[in-house]
Amino acid sequence: MSPFLLTRTLPEDATDAALRADVLRGLTGRPRTLPPKWFYDAYGSELFEEITELPEYYPTRAEREILLARSGEIAAAAGARTLIELGSGSSEKTRHLIDALTGLHTYVPVDVSESALTRAGQALVAERPGLAVHALIADFTGRMTLPDTPGPRLVAFLGGTIGNLLPAERAAFLASVRALLAPGDALLLGTDLVKDEKVLVRAYDDAAGVTAAFNKNVLTVINRELGADFDPAAFDHVAVWDAEREWVEMRLRSRGAQTVKVPALGLVVDFDAGEELRTEVSAKFRKEGVREELEAARLELARWWTDEEERFALSLSMAR
């Protein structure tokens, strides 16, 4: 069996410290906000898997379509011997790319979840003799140190997750990725594209209410981890399109005036009736905007692939 290594670059208490800092900053700021990464406890991850199968939620299907059709072209253009996937999760969709990269030596999945990395990594080394897997427990939004693996390297950041970052955060993220790359290495980036407002809003406000449950789950996470007394039923799920910024916002709107206590932070938060808590920004992109953001990070857009309906794009950019 090929080797499977697991390295922790994230301190054991980093998740708890980050949650406390994010909740304190987000609930005391104006407008009130929470980062979307706190949706994803075990239940939240299950809900998101349900969302990806909903008829309204096109991004996962569109990206899968591109990977199935274009993995050979991506592999030929990148020529990678090391594939690094940021936010790898189950590594399921990346298998198409792994199979297409005929010269691949090492796969480096990066995620905050040790259990997800272990399951996916052990399955891959069992299925693919000759492939080394070196998993990293790390937060890809922070500084990362990658293992010493052969080049060229291909960093994959899929799923349109980059859209969850605000513009300044995206610039910092792309700069940090570029710092990991040598000339000739590449970034494969998934971006959801600007389209009709109704299509976009439906994708984040499905008829079955799965996304609403997913959105409210962040309150359950804070209750469990920080002893808060949020009542999820006292908030409504809201999804809106911001045409000026070209992003979808998910929010939780307080149904009435209420007070929430967060004992672990010594925090008391008063919500007015109708007051909203922003839980996610999901930016949508245009090709030229993607090119400009990549160029600012010294990455040159080399290839651009979309699904047949041009809903989603995968771009390959090269380190200069």
Side-chain angles (χ1 to χ4, degrees):
M1 183 181 292
S2 307
F4 171 65
L5 298 173
L6 182 69
T7 300
R8 175 180 287 277
T9 64
L10 202 62
E12 291 280 358
D13 62 349
T15 299
D16 179 64
L19 175 63
R20 287 169 176 263
D22 285 345
V23 172
L24 181 61
R25 181 171 54 249
L27 293 186
T28 57
R30 288 291 189 277
R32 302 191 198 276
T33 62
L34 289 171
K37 64 182 177 182
W38 302 117
F39 292 137
Y40 297 95
D41 63 350
Y43 180 57
S45 297
E46 289 175 11
L47 287 172
F48 185 71
E49 288 302 314
E50 286 187 45
I51 289 169
T52 64
E53 301 298 326
L54 293 170
E56 297 97 332
Y57 194 79
Y58 61 85
T60 303
R61 289 189 298 277
E63 185 177 55
R64 187 185 299 122
E65 178 188 320
I66 303 168
L67 285 169
L68 284 168
R70 304 295 189 179
S71 281
E73 294 176 38
I74 295 167
R81 298 198 66 213
T82 295
L83 171 63
I84 300 147
E85 185 179 8
L86 306 180
S88 56
S90 66
S91 301
E92 194 59 44
K93 59 190 169 188
T94 324
R95 282 169 160 76
H96 305 300
L97 198 52
I98 290 171
D99 289 340
L101 287 162
T102 54
L104 189 64
H105 178 278
T106 305
Y107 172 54
V108 183
V110 181
D111 206 284
V112 295
S113 171
E114 181 174 353
S115 60
L117 287 169
T118 300
R119 281 195 304 273
Q122 290 179 344
L124 279 168
V125 297
E127 295 164 8
R128 291 161 174 77
L131 178 66
V133 178
H134 191 149
L136 292 183
I137 304 171
D139 182 350
F140 61 74
T141 61
R143 293 191 61 177
M144 286 189 301
T145 302
L146 296 175
D148 186 16
T149 58
R153 288 173 162 180
L154 173 63
V155 173
F157 191 42
L158 304 177
T161 307
I162 193 165
N164 296 146
L165 304 177
L166 297 173
E169 295 169 336
R170 289 201 302 269
F173 168 77
L174 290 170
S176 71
V177 169
R178 176 60 185 85
L180 299 173
L181 304 179
D185 291 346
L187 168 66
L188 182 68
L189 182 65
T191 47
D192 196 6
L193 301 179
V194 174
K195 58 186 67 65
D196 182 76
E197 177 180 350
K198 291 179 181 178
V199 173
L200 288 166
V201 171
R202 279 199 300 267
Y204 295 85
D205 193 12
D206 61 278
V210 182
T211 310
F214 176 69
N215 194 7
K216 292 183 183 186
N217 188 59
V218 72
L219 304 180
T220 304
V221 170
I222 296 171
N223 286 350
R224 182 181 64 243
E225 300 299 328
L226 301 179
D229 61 355
F230 277 104
D231 176 8
F235 290 84
D236 289 323
H237 166 69
V238 179
V240 295
W241 169 243
D242 185 324
E244 182 180 349
R245 296 183 175 92
E246 295 192 324
W247 67 42
V248 176
E249 287 192 12
M250 289 209 313
R251 306 171 184 169
L252 291 169
R253 179 181 294 154
S254 181
R255 289 186 164 190
Q258 58 179 305
T259 298
V260 176
K261 300 181 181 64
V262 189
L265 302 177
L267 189 62
V268 177
V269 185
D270 293 318
F271 286 91
D272 295 329
E275 185 174 354
E276 294 178 339
L277 168 64
R278 190 181 74 197
T279 53
E280 182 177 274
V281 162
S282 186
K284 309 306 169 187
F285 296 89
R286 302 176 189 270
K287 183 177 181 180
E288 285 312 306
V290 173
R291 185 194 303 275
E292 290 171 7
E293 293 194 34
L294 291 168
E295 286 181 350
R298 294 186 300 117
L299 291 161
E300 184 174 355
L301 180 62
R303 301 294 299 273
W304 177 269
W305 300 275
T306 69
D307 63 296
E308 191 170 332
E309 296 181 43
E310 298 188 343
R311 299 168 295 178
F312 196 93
L314 288 180
S315 59
L316 187 76
S317 55
M318 310 301 294
R320 296 185 300 193

